[in-house]
Amino acid sequence: MKEFGYHRSTDVQDAVALLADEPEAHFLGGGTNLVDLMKAGVETPGLLVDVRNLPLRGIEVRADGALTIGATATNSDLAAHPEVRRRYPALSQAVLAGASGQLRNVATVGGNLLQRTRCGYFTDTSYPCNKRVPGSGCPAITGEHHNHAILGASEHCVATNPSDLGVALAAFDAVVSYEAIDGPGELPLADFYPAVGDTPHVETALPAGALITAVTLPAAPVAARSRYRKVRERASYAFATGSVAAALDVDGGVVRDVRIAFGAVASRPWRAHAAERSLTGAPATAEAFAAAADAELAAAKPLPHNGYKVRLMRNLMVSVLTELAEEAAR
Ligand SMILES: Cc1cc2nc3c(=O)[nH]c(=O)nc-3n(C[C@H](O)[C@H](O)[C@H](O)COP(=O)(O)OP(=O)(O)OC[C@H]3O[C@@H](n4cnc5c(N)ncnc54)[C@H](O)[C@@H]3O)c2cc1C
Ligand code: SF4
């Protein structure tokens, strides 16, 4: 492992200035992804700027009802927060579905959004990989890809985004705040992860060296009836093969408001806009949920060994929405 410097920062501007001065520096959150990648030789920073002592741990409900989550809040604190559990239960469930208790105790919200793909070719430097070394090729397309993308991928990369948290944030229109060397800025999560195209190594729209400071969820009454469901190859401590975050508001048997996002199917958390459009104003029935899933998944382009994900996502979405509709009818 390459030698590196370590600096524990207590001031946001200082942390950002340090990264601007040192092009090989990385921010360090809980280190649960970055340190693993350093051991594997995938990441080789010259300096780690530890952000965990920055004053960015708070989780607060604002006067307008929005929820602001500090970037260094741990995944455990986020999942356990009473307002998160009450206003956005799917968000708490998504976090608890990820990793393990020990990992969630140190993993941060900012680090979770920037964790890298779990594609085995990306983490093994003996293989080519367009994401790690642009232009070197994508062995996953003809190789092992049973847990790779079915939506929004390209001929250059078919990796998925592994975050559970990100799926719930996508369903609830999260906005990411950051501090860059030339000042603060905001990015809706919908624009945070660019399309893969021919630049799979460009994973976010953040300015170079920007520090994520917070994530804000606008007030969304529909989110109070929401759920996150994850399918994985082990009952715990495993990344998703497919997941759904959904929220549903039903009035007189008709869908008044609905939010749906898919996980583990694309290079970013996948907001299911076509399904939402199909359902708004439709009867809250299993048939309408299935038709909406089909509308969303019409764009799927599975590879030879991951076609099962199309059926999986359809079944997941229908079962989660059916449960929410039954709850609403009680
Ligand atoms: C065995 C195992 C199982 C796991 N299972 C799951 C799972 O099922 N679901 C899931 O979602 N995740 C899972 N994870 C991933 C885990 O959730 C992430 O590793 C974690 O959330 C990353 O947070 P961190 O604070 O440790 O990030 P770090 O590892 O510290 O950093 C990750 C990246 O984010 C950057 N960064 C960190 N903070 C900031 C900031 N504030 N601003 C800008 N850049 C920043 C770092 O420079 C780095 O590039 C698993 C991890 C392990 C090791
Ligand atoms: S899918 Fe993406 S991350 Fe995996 S080998 Fe291909 S280019 Fe690399």
Side-chain angles (χ1 to χ4, degrees):
M1 190 163 150
K2 183 181 147 189
E3 275 193 27
F4 59 91
Y6 173 84
H7 178 83
R8 186 173 293 161
S9 194
T10 54
D11 180 87
V12 166
Q13 267 74 32
D14 283 354
V16 172
L18 268 171
L19 244 76
D21 284 349
E22 170 55 78
E24 290 206 327
H26 277 31
F27 294 123
L28 177 72
T32 60
N33 187 223
L34 179 56
V35 174
D36 278 356
L37 293 174
M38 288 167 67
K39 289 185 205 160
V42 174
E43 300 268 26
T44 53
L47 173 68
L48 294 182
V49 178
D50 191 334
V51 300
R52 285 172 301 174
N53 283 7
L54 296 177
L56 301 174
R57 284 183 84 109
I59 300 172
E60 286 159 19
V61 179
R62 294 191 329 210
D64 63 0
L67 180 82
T68 297
I69 306 160
T72 61
T74 65
N75 286 195
S76 294
D77 286 349
L78 175 60
H81 197 282
E83 291 298 327
V84 174
R85 289 161 56 104
R86 191 167 70 84
R87 290 165 183 255
Y88 307 91
L91 180 60
S92 174
Q93 293 162 13
V95 175
L96 291 175
S100 66
Q102 290 95 330
L103 286 160
R104 294 193 296 269
N105 284 344
V106 292
T108 62
V109 168
N112 189 300
L113 290 182
L114 293 182
Q115 63 174 296
R116 313 291 302 275
T117 182
R118 309 306 282 201
C119 172
Y121 300 108
F122 172 75
T123 49
D124 184 340
T125 56
S126 66
Y127 285 96
C129 166
N130 283 331
K131 191 182 273 300
R132 190 167 23 77
V133 183
S136 61
C138 175
I141 289 173
T142 51
E144 170 52 51
H145 57 237
H146 84 280
N147 198 15
H148 283 61
I150 56 168
L151 287 162
S154 82
E155 59 184 318
H156 302 283
C157 180
V158 291
T160 56
N161 182 303
S163 171
D164 288 298
L165 165 65
V167 184
L169 293 180
F172 301 138
D173 299 309
V175 175
V176 177
S177 302
Y178 62 82
E179 187 74 32
I181 194 67
D182 50 4
E186 287 189 342
L187 270 172
L189 198 74
D191 302 329
F192 187 80
Y193 301 105
V196 189
D198 57 2
T199 53
H201 59 289
V202 180
E203 293 180 354
T204 78
L206 277 176
L211 174 78
I212 298 177
T213 52
V215 179
T216 299
L217 294 177
V222 67
R225 178 168 291 118
S226 65
R227 187 152 302 167
Y228 185 73
R229 178 148 309 145
K230 169 175 174 177
V231 172
R232 46 190 156 176
E233 290 177 355
R234 283 192 306 261
S236 73
Y237 202 45
F239 288 91
T241 46
S243 68
V244 169
L248 186 67
D249 181 19
V250 178
D251 186 21
V254 170
V255 175
R256 190 159 55 179
D257 196 358
V258 61
R259 310 289 167 88
I260 308 165
F262 294 165
V265 293
S267 63
R268 57 185 164 189
W270 187 267
R271 181 74 180 263
H273 289 295
E276 291 178 1
R277 277 195 301 275
S278 153
L279 276 176
T280 306
T285 59
E287 292 73 26
F289 300 149
D294 289 340
E296 190 64 46
L297 292 162
K301 291 195 178 122
L303 296 158
H305 306 299
N306 68 359
Y308 75 94
K309 282 197 178 194
V310 178
R311 175 65 69 89
L312 172 71
M313 295 311 298
R314 183 182 198 267
N315 290 345
L316 259 182
M317 186 183 130
V318 172
S319 71
V320 170
L321 288 174
T322 303
E323 282 176 22
L324 292 172
E326 284 169 1
E327 254 175 52
R330 270 182 220 137

